[in-house]
Amino acid sequence: MWTSGRMSNAKNWLGLGMSLYFWGLMDLTTTVLSDTPTPQGELEALLSDKPQSHQRTKRSWVWNQFFVLEEYTGTDPLYVGKLHSDMDRGDGSIKYILSGEGAGIVFTIDDTTGDIHAIQRLDREERAQYTLRAQALDRRTGRPMEPESEFIIKIQDINDNEPKFLDGPYVATVPEMSPVGTSVIQVTATDADDPTYGNSARVVYSILQGQPYFSVDSKTGVIRTALMNMDREAKEYYEVIIQAKDMGGQLGGLAGTTTVNITLSDVNDNPPRFPQRHYQMSVLESAPISSTVGRVFAKDLDEGINAEMKYTIVDGDGADAFDISTDHNFQVGIITVKKPLSFESKKSYTLKVEGANPHLEMRFLNLGPFQDTTTVHISVEDVDEPPVFEPGFYFVEVPEDVAIGTTIQIISAKDPDVTNNSIRYSIDRSSDPGRFFYVDITTGALMTARPLDREEFSWHNITVLAMEMNNPSQVGSVPVTIKVLDVNDNAPEFPRFYEAFVCENAKAGQLIQTVSAVDQDDPRNGQHFYYSLAPEAANNPNFTIRDNQDNTARILTRRSGFRQQEQSVFHLPILIADSGQPVLSSTGTLTIQVCSCDDDGHVMSCSPEAYMLPVSLSRGALIAILACIFVLLVLVLLILSMRRHRKQPYIIDDEENIHENIVRYDDEGGGEEDTEAFDIAAMWNPREAQAGAAPKTRQDMLPEIESLSRYVPQTCAVNGTVHSYVLAKLYEADMDLWAPPFDSLQTYMFEGDGSVAGSLSSLQSATSDSEQSFDFLTDWGPRFRKLAELYGASEGPAPLW
């Protein structure tokens, strides 16, 4: 039987002079084999198959667990207990062996006495108990004297761990103005000591810092608000220190602390207010739509969504001219231009702007109102604006046969400023690269400068510019769309070359070809063509034509019996006329070949039969004749080549040496005195130029261009407009590929000598302090009337051409 005794070495731990034994009771039934049972006898009895007699023996005192205190700090091993077997007679014949958790490392056993000691420091928080096994062996034979038994060593707890806040430090948020007792956060401290043994793990919470704003529940650790009307705008952050103490908060208990950082979150308890009751702003009248005029700001002590603003214009005479939007990043109101401004129409505006919180809390409405208003005065500043066209878009329809220089539209622009400066017109040449149009610089009359052709360009989109005389940088523009209307100026014609054939066995009235026509014109009622034979072929005995009334026509044979030997090809002229006004027509030719066909009408041959060679001429003779002709051709080419490559003597003629042939001309042009090169009499007086004798011509060269004025009828020169005359002659000069200027230079040194107009040079005008007068232009007749109007009578600045 196992018996055990545990004597707590309390002397070393508690300092007391007493010994304690703990006994455990184990109920075992023992099989008795003999009066004096021995381990050997018991083993043999168990292994025997013979029936045995059973006797109940007395109960023995046995053990099952030991207890030992943690954190032993003595120098000697800590005595745990004693193992003892009933077989042990005290003579040392029994050997005790310990195995299991911590055997030999944490716990040791005296193999003779059975005393168990702890040789390492024990910590219940690391391990609360150890399970070991004990066995008694015969020291001499090594046989087990007792069955192996298991026992437990439990570690008893002491208060050696303070409470700890494993989740600290804490961060919490609570809304400002919260009622007293509002829960903020719950803190929890844990104690590693045994909660089932004494008060070592019973924790009590208290607040060390943070009063009188917050409080903590001593049992649960819930932190609550303790002061009413805490304002975030006054104080936003709080640092609260919480203590947790074990032993129920009694004296001698261990304590731990943690920090709780509490932030008051914002609520909408502050209404917005404008720091300024009046704003003064200015804007240029040329400011584009949506451009910024200025900013207003309503201050709100709240933050986040509670500080969001919405700005609106609630009153004022500028509500239709200006708009306001909210910049959500900075919560400011941005005033922008809503429609074009005009200093001449209205010089100032007044706005009443409201700023309000869109997100309200019902429990704080008594702190309102949560909106405010301010007044904004906006002054419009004058700028030099470019000319403005009225209307802002032009659409013109013009027939394509309009004469050059015809006015097709009057373009009108005006200076919107108070000064009302003079306007000069021009065409943006990038919009009219073909220079089909011209605009009068002063009147804005839009005229044609070149012939128009709808078939080439049916639409023209040009831009007309208007510039102020006093400020050329101020330029306005207007789009002008010109639609070229169609006139019947193109005759219909065949779309391709028509070629047909007729069989020799064709009968009268047989269809040989269907023809059609095209016309580049586009009449409103559609195209309609009329077909007939040309007048010279009206009585053609061979073919006739039938109009299908669908812009096509059929070509029919008028007779039969065509022969290739008689005539192999017929050319039939066909007259095609359109339905326009005036009627235009053209003549197309249909080529008809006479072919030999089979009975089904399939073409067999369309060429006349070749002449047969004489029967007496053999093939060999024909080859010999061709060879002789080839030899003669080669000889002729060789002779011509030798003559061309005959060497010439290396004699250089001075007249043929052109390497440094420099020709110098010491004479200079005669200016207006030189009347040999060009006829400039028309520049003096066109009527005298025509009435006088024929102009003299130069002897050294033929005149390359005639005076433009001699081609102009006198009615046009006298009664017509200068612009039409110039534009017509400019177009003629552009179309004349052989007209000057060539790469030549002529210098004119004489000015005004012999001219009835005198000198027009401005070289000497700089020496005079007085302003040059052009009133004499009115005395020069109708040809200079336009110049007299521009220069003679005008007192303003000189016009720009």
Side-chain angles (χ1 to χ4, degrees):
M1 292 293 181
W2 282 102
T3 61
S4 63
R6 179 190 182 279
M7 182 181 68
S8 175
N9 193 357
K11 183 178 181 180
N12 292 334
W13 180 254
L14 301 176
L16 301 178
M18 58 180 296
S19 299
L20 298 176
Y21 286 85
F22 296 90
W23 295 93
L25 178 63
M26 180 182 293
D27 188 5
L28 297 176
T29 302
T30 306
T31 302
V32 180
L33 301 177
S34 62
D35 294 337
T36 308
T38 62
Q40 181 67 25
E42 290 179 1
L43 181 61
E44 291 175 355
L46 292 172
L47 298 176
S48 175
D49 293 335
K50 297 179 181 181
Q52 303 292 331
S53 60
H54 297 276
Q55 296 181 0
R56 181 180 176 86
T57 60
K58 67 177 182 179
R59 294 179 181 272
S60 300
W61 293 100
V62 295
W63 56 271
N64 65 350
Q65 63 182 2
F66 297 105
F67 294 90
V68 60
L69 292 174
E70 65 172 339
E71 303 295 344
Y72 172 68
T73 58
T75 58
D76 297 331
L78 176 65
Y79 181 74
V80 178
K82 183 180 182 65
L83 296 180
H84 183 70
S85 175
D86 293 345
M87 300 289 183
D88 190 357
R89 300 288 184 263
D91 55 359
S93 60
I94 301 300
K95 180 179 180 181
Y96 296 96
I97 297 176
L98 188 65
S99 62
E101 297 175 349
I105 301 174
V106 180
F107 303 99
T108 61
I109 188 171
D110 190 324
D111 60 354
T112 301
T113 63
D115 294 333
I116 300 175
H117 292 83
I119 60 176
Q120 288 190 7
R121 184 175 179 178
L122 302 177
D123 188 354
R124 189 200 67 82
E125 286 72 36
E126 294 181 1
R127 190 160 192 155
Q129 66 179 20
Y130 294 86
T131 301
L132 296 100
R133 294 181 299 277
Q135 192 173 21
L137 303 177
D138 190 321
R139 189 179 294 275
R140 289 173 298 178
T141 62
R143 293 185 303 173
M145 301 300 292
E146 294 279 358
E148 187 179 59
S149 298
E150 185 177 88
F151 65 96
I152 297 174
I153 299 178
K154 290 188 175 182
I155 311 301
Q156 283 186 324
D157 182 54
I158 64 173
N159 189 18
D160 60 341
N161 292 279
E162 73 277 3
K164 294 182 180 179
F165 294 91
L166 301 180
D167 297 329
Y170 295 86
V171 177
T173 303
V174 63
E176 63 174 333
M177 299 295 179
S178 296
V180 175
T182 302
S183 176
V184 180
I185 192 174
Q186 183 179 13
V187 296
T188 302
T190 58
D191 196 319
D193 293 329
D194 189 359
T196 63
Y197 180 75
N199 294 327
S200 299
R202 192 163 73 89
V203 177
V204 175
Y205 300 94
S206 61
I207 184 169
L208 301 181
Q209 178 181 314
Q211 295 175 334
Y213 305 103
F214 300 95
S215 63
V216 63
D217 189 290
S218 60
K219 295 182 180 180
T220 62
V222 175
I223 300 175
R224 303 179 185 274
T225 58
L227 191 65
M228 64 183 303
N229 296 332
M230 287 192 294
D231 192 1
R232 183 196 66 85
E233 288 74 29
K235 185 176 182 180
E236 184 176 3
Y237 301 102
Y238 295 86
E239 185 180 74
V240 179
I241 298 178
I242 302 298
Q243 175 184 269
K245 190 174 183 181
D246 59 11
M247 298 299 291
Q250 298 177 5
L251 185 64
L254 302 178
T257 60
T258 187
T259 301
V260 182
N261 295 311
I262 301 176
T263 302
L264 296 184
S265 61
D266 185 61
V267 297
N268 193 6
D269 59 339
N270 293 279
R273 292 292 179 262
F274 283 102
Q276 295 179 235
R277 287 301 170 188
H278 299 278
Y279 287 85
Q280 186 67 40
M281 302 178 184
S282 62
V283 60
L284 298 177
E285 63 171 337
S286 60
I289 296 177
S290 299
S291 59
T292 300
V293 178
R295 291 173 171 82
V296 295
F297 174 65
K299 186 176 182 181
D300 193 329
L301 297 178
D302 297 321
E303 64 179 7
I305 191 174
N306 299 312
E308 288 187 2
M309 300 295 300
K310 182 180 180 181
Y311 296 92
T312 55
I313 298 176
V314 296
D315 197 6
D317 58 356
D320 59 340
F322 299 94
D323 198 1
I324 189 168
S325 60
T326 303
D327 184 348
H328 295 288
N329 294 326
F330 300 98
Q331 302 303 327
V332 297
I334 302 176
I335 300 176
T336 57
V337 178
K338 187 176 181 180
K339 71 175 185 179
L341 305 176
S342 176
F343 173 82
E344 292 73 24
S345 300
K346 191 173 180 59
K347 297 180 176 58
S348 65
Y349 296 88
T350 300
L351 303 176
K352 186 177 182 181
V353 178
E354 179 187 81
N357 288 141
H359 307 285
L360 301 178
E361 294 192 26
M362 301 302 296
R363 60 193 182 104
F364 298 118
L365 289 180
N366 59 325
L367 302 177
F370 285 83
Q371 70 226 13
D372 196 15
T373 59
T374 187
T375 303
V376 181
H377 297 282
I378 302 176
S379 300
V380 180
E381 297 183 358
D382 186 29
V383 296
D384 191 2
E385 298 176 277
V388 178
F389 287 89
E390 294 181 0
F393 173 78
Y394 288 90
F395 176 75
V396 183
E397 291 183 339
V398 57
E400 62 178 325
D401 60 348
V402 64
I404 297 176
T406 302
T407 300
I408 61 175
Q409 181 68 44
I410 300 297
I411 308 298
S412 176
K414 68 176 183 178
D415 185 5
D417 297 321
V418 179
T419 55
N420 194 18
N421 293 321
S422 299
I423 305 298
R424 292 295 179 263
Y425 299 92
S426 62
I427 295 179
D428 184 358
R429 286 307 173 189
S430 61
S431 65
D432 185 26
R435 297 180 180 268
F436 288 94
F437 302 96
Y438 170 81
V439 64
D440 187 272
I441 193 172
T442 57
T443 64
L446 183 63
M447 296 173 283
T448 56
R450 291 182 57 186
L452 302 180
D453 188 0
R454 188 203 64 83
E455 288 71 36
E456 182 181 4
F457 298 105
S458 59
W459 291 87
H460 295 271
N461 295 295
I462 66 174
T463 300
V464 177
L465 307 177
M467 179 186 65
E468 290 186 12
M469 284 289 295
N470 294 341
N471 188 359
S473 63
Q474 295 298 327
V475 179
S477 63
V478 65
V480 180
T481 299
I482 302 172
K483 180 180 180 180
V484 181
L485 301 179
D486 183 55
V487 297
N488 193 26
D489 58 346
N490 292 279
E493 58 186 3
F494 284 146
R496 58 185 176 85
F497 174 73
Y498 280 109
E499 185 176 11
F501 69 90
V502 60
C503 295
E504 290 181 323
N505 55 1
K507 298 179 180 180
Q510 181 175 338
L511 175 67
I512 62 173
Q513 181 68 41
T514 299
V515 296
S516 62
V518 294
D519 193 333
Q520 295 183 4
D521 295 323
D522 186 18
R524 294 182 179 180
N525 298 327
Q527 298 282 6
H528 187 72
F529 303 131
Y530 301 93
Y531 299 88
S532 62
L533 293 179
E536 62 271 19
N539 299 321
N540 190 297
N542 301 312
F543 304 97
T544 186
I545 187 170
R546 298 286 176 84
D547 196 334
N548 295 328
Q549 301 300 320
D550 60 354
N551 292 338
T552 62
R554 294 173 296 167
I555 309 301
L556 306 175
T557 58
R558 182 170 284 183
R559 66 177 179 86
S560 60
F562 292 94
R563 296 289 181 269
Q564 282 186 339
Q565 290 79 5
E566 296 177 1
Q567 186 173 351
S568 61
V569 178
F570 293 91
H571 297 283
L572 184 64
I574 299 175
L575 181 66
I576 311 169
D578 59 17
S579 58
Q581 292 296 330
V583 176
L584 298 180
S585 62
S586 66
T587 301
T589 302
L590 173 64
T591 302
I592 304 174
Q593 289 187 350
V594 180
C595 302
S596 59
C597 306
D598 57 14
D599 295 338
D600 296 331
H602 299 123
V603 176
M604 298 177 59
S605 174
C606 291
S607 59
E609 297 180 359
Y611 292 100
M612 299 300 296
L613 293 174
V615 179
S616 60
L617 186 61
S618 64
R619 182 174 298 178
L622 181 61
I623 294 174
I625 293 173
L626 295 177
C628 293
I629 294 173
F630 178 74
V631 172
L632 291 175
L633 290 176
V634 172
L635 290 175
V636 171
L637 293 175
L638 181 61
I639 294 172
L640 294 176
S641 177
M642 292 178 63
R643 287 185 177 181
R644 179 175 298 178
H645 291 83
R646 180 180 298 172
K647 295 183 178 180
Q648 298 180 358
Y650 291 93
I651 300 174
I652 300 176
D653 192 356
D654 292 339
E655 296 182 355
E656 296 181 357
N657 185 11
I658 60 173
H659 294 288
E660 294 183 358
N661 187 13
I662 301 176
V663 180
R664 292 182 174 85
Y665 298 93
D666 293 334
D667 57 336
E668 297 181 352
E672 295 184 356
E673 294 292 332
D674 186 2
T675 59
E676 299 292 332
F678 303 101
D679 179 17
I680 61 174
M683 298 181 62
W684 298 335
N685 194 328
R687 298 180 181 178
E688 295 180 2
Q690 287 190 349
K696 294 183 293 182
T697 58
R698 297 184 61 154
Q699 302 299 326
D700 56 343
M701 61 178 291
L702 294 176
E704 296 172 337
I705 186 171
E706 300 290 345
S707 175
L708 296 177
S709 61
R710 68 182 59 192
Y711 295 102
V712 181
Q714 289 302 311
T715 56
C716 178
V718 177
N719 300 324
T721 62
V722 177
H723 293 99
S724 301
Y725 166 72
V726 173
L727 291 175
K729 293 300 131 184
L730 178 61
Y731 175 71
E732 291 180 7
D734 290 340
M735 295 297 103
D736 189 356
L737 301 179
W738 301 101
F742 294 108
D743 293 336
S744 61
L745 175 64
Q746 297 191 31
T747 303
Y748 298 91
M749 301 181 62
F750 300 96
E751 295 184 20
D753 190 7
S755 173
V756 297
S759 176
L760 298 178
S761 174
S762 60
L763 297 178
Q764 303 298 328
S765 62
T767 60
S768 176
D769 296 334
S770 60
E771 209 171 316
Q772 187 174 0
S773 175
F774 297 95
D775 295 336
F776 60 89
L777 293 174
T778 57
D779 301 329
W780 286 8
R783 296 295 301 276
F784 294 90
R785 182 181 302 167
K786 195 66 177 179
L787 293 176
E789 292 176 359
L790 296 178
Y791 292 90
S794 176
E795 297 180 359
L800 298 178
W801 289 89

